[in-house]
Amino acid sequence: MVKPHAISEVELRVTGRVSSQDRELALNKIRALCELGHEPVLDAVVKLKVRPKATLELPSIAEASLNLNGDLVRAHAAGQTIGEAIDLLDDKLGRRLRRRRKRFEDRRHDAEPENRGHTPGYVERPHDERDVVRHKTLAMRPVSLEEAADEMDQLDHDFYLYLDVDHDIDRVIYRNGDGELHVAPAVDGENLPGDTRPSIYSGPLVLNHLPLLDAERLLDHGNEPFVFFAETAKGRSQVLYRRFDGHYGLITPAV
């Protein structure tokens, strides 16, 4: 019996030398992923590309796009070999589909009568009682914007501080209230990803140069869940965020 969300045909687009075994591997993995969701798969496209190795560290690219009842779910992966890229693609796309299904199940659970009217939120704590109760120092290796987005997804966070390998600056990628991905600070002329994964937009946030105490005040009186700032003495960007217990958390790069 064919599942209602299964798909009989997956479109395959190939650039470069890709063996028939690797082509079949990619098709089988995408067909299997199509059965993970709860929605009809209207169409599925997988792209395999092998570029000259002489000039690239990761010459093999695997991309996939699934149309889930009108919503596109995309993933992109690069590897030393096309087989490695396909395996990474399978892992990334699988995580996104499982998260999507979990969000659907959570929303359905929250809509049940016994849960109506209950919305988790922040503990209301007086301003003068709030402290930085968690300070996390990160050894940030340079990564691309797409890698930062994937890392944020894997950690199931709403924001992620990282060192951008293409621009050599500290940046923060985050979800807004509608679930869209944004990155700040914006870089003029940057070609943001959007073809093989959920689109990423330039965010309106700016890097505030101010001491920690002022960052706390800005967080207290604003509507954002975090403040992206840098203390003049330290120079590196930091993120001060509001915890659900009403206190603050602070994320700073390792020096």
Side-chain angles (χ1 to χ4, degrees):
M1 181 177 179
V2 178
K3 296 183 179 181
H5 47 268
I7 187 169
S8 57
E9 293 295 332
V10 176
E11 182 181 351
L12 176 64
R13 303 175 188 174
V14 176
T15 303
R17 301 181 64 179
V18 179
S19 70
S20 58
Q21 291 89 342
D22 285 327
R23 297 181 188 210
E24 192 62 27
L25 174 67
L27 289 172
N28 288 338
K29 285 183 178 292
I30 297 303
R31 290 191 189 105
L33 289 175
C34 288
E35 298 186 3
L36 285 179
H38 59 283
E39 305 155 286
V41 181
L42 303 184
D43 56 69
V45 178
V46 59
K47 302 177 184 179
L48 305 178
K49 183 176 183 179
V50 177
R51 303 170 293 178
K53 292 185 178 180
T55 58
L56 297 166
E57 182 180 352
L58 300 174
S60 300
I61 302 292
E63 306 170 356
S65 175
L66 304 185
N67 184 338
L68 302 184
N69 203 28
D71 288 339
L72 290 181
V73 178
R74 303 182 177 100
H76 168 282
Q80 290 282 353
T81 66
I82 194 63
E84 178 184 348
I86 291 169
D87 287 340
L88 290 172
L89 175 68
D90 179 49
D91 182 58
K92 287 184 178 181
L93 188 56
R95 287 201 308 269
R96 288 177 186 165
L97 291 171
R98 292 182 183 94
R99 280 196 302 273
R100 182 181 176 92
R101 179 163 188 160
K102 184 178 184 300
R103 286 196 296 268
F104 169 79
E105 292 172 348
D106 289 345
R107 287 196 299 268
R108 185 174 60 180
H109 178 71
D110 290 342
E112 294 176 359
E114 63 269 24
N115 290 319
R116 288 176 184 169
H118 174 68
T119 303
Y122 298 106
V123 172
E124 289 297 330
R125 187 179 299 277
H127 293 179
D128 58 358
E129 294 182 8
R130 299 175 186 176
D131 294 307
V132 176
V133 298
R134 179 174 174 80
H135 184 184
K136 187 174 184 179
T137 302
L138 301 178
M140 300 194 307
R141 64 180 180 86
V143 297
S144 69
L145 175 55
E146 285 190 315
E147 288 174 318
D150 288 336
E151 185 69 16
M152 183 181 73
D153 282 346
Q154 187 173 1
L155 294 170
D156 198 24
H157 289 175
D158 291 324
F159 58 86
Y160 185 73
L161 179 67
Y162 75 102
L163 176 59
D164 195 293
V165 67
D166 296 313
H167 304 288
D168 194 29
I169 57 173
D170 295 327
R171 304 180 87 180
V172 61
I173 184 169
Y174 61 97
R175 300 185 191 281
N176 67 1
D178 296 327
E180 292 181 337
L181 292 177
H182 291 259
V183 63
V187 175
D188 290 340
E190 183 176 24
N191 185 20
L192 293 172
D195 181 38
T196 58
R197 59 165 299 120
S199 297
I200 302 175
Y201 304 96
S202 292
L205 294 181
V206 296
L207 179 63
N208 298 279
H209 291 273
L210 69 176
L212 176 60
L213 186 60
D214 287 348
E216 292 177 0
R217 294 193 184 102
L218 187 60
L219 184 62
D220 288 341
H221 298 290
N223 296 319
E224 300 296 336
F226 66 89
V227 171
F228 183 45
F229 76 106
E231 295 184 84
T232 305
K234 296 182 179 179
R236 295 294 299 274
S237 303
Q238 304 177 69
V239 171
L240 179 74
Y241 63 95
R242 186 176 302 166
R243 292 165 46 93
F244 286 107
D245 60 7
H247 286 296
Y248 309 118
L250 181 65
I251 300 174
T252 60
V255 178

